[in-house]
């Protein structure tokens, strides 16, 4: 499967209009060249979330950053989760070293 190399930026809300207004907002940027990888992943077998709903998961990771104007924000990457590597049972001699 191709790799997804999307990114996001979240900036603190300057003025909350109500208690329900978001604390951060921003954008997700998906390179056009990565759309096929995203679509392929969206077509994979769903898994259950904590509410027992079928979902397709994407991994996100964020880092604190500072803009050129001195504002602190969260900058991050979005990727397709790596499949869990299968561990061989103890005593399996078929693994070459």
């Amino acid at each position: 499967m191709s790799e997804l190399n999307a990114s996001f930026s979240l900036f603190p809300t300057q003025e909350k209009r109500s208690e329900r207004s978001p604390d951060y907002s921003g954008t997700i940027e998906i390179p056009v060249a990565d759309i096929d990888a995203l679509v392929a992943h969206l077509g994979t077998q769903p898994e259950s979330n904590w509410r027992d709903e079928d979902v397709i998961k994407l991994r996100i990771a964020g880092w604190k950053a500072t803009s050129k104007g001195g504002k602190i924000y969260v900058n991050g990457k979005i990727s397709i989760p790596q499949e869990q590597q299968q561990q061989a049972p103890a005593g399996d001699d078929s693994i070459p070293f």
Side-chain angles (χ1 to χ4, degrees):
M1 182 180 304
S2 299
E3 187 163 325
L4 175 64
N5 191 25
S7 61
F8 69 91
S9 295
L10 291 173
F11 292 87
T13 300
Q14 296 298 314
E15 183 179 324
K16 288 184 64 115
R17 297 174 193 208
S18 74
E19 283 297 313
R20 297 189 67 149
S21 295
D23 294 317
Y24 290 84
S25 64
T27 60
I28 294 174
E29 295 180 356
I30 302 170
V32 172
D34 293 349
I35 296 295
D36 288 340
L38 177 59
V39 170
H41 178 66
L42 294 175
T44 61
Q45 184 68 31
E47 56 185 275
S48 293
N49 67 5
W50 61 277
R51 289 184 283 211
D52 205 27
E53 300 166 329
D54 286 343
V55 298
I56 302 295
K57 292 184 179 179
L58 291 171
R59 182 179 183 275
I60 63 170
W63 296 265
K64 285 193 270 183
T66 305
S67 72
K68 291 179 183 177
K71 295 187 181 201
I72 297 190
Y73 68 102
V74 177
N75 191 36
K77 294 288 183 185
I78 300 166
S79 60
I80 294 171
Q82 299 295 319
E83 290 187 31
Q84 298 289 334
Q85 293 185 359
Q86 299 288 332
Q87 291 190 357
D92 185 357
D93 295 329
S94 64
I95 301 173
F97 288 101

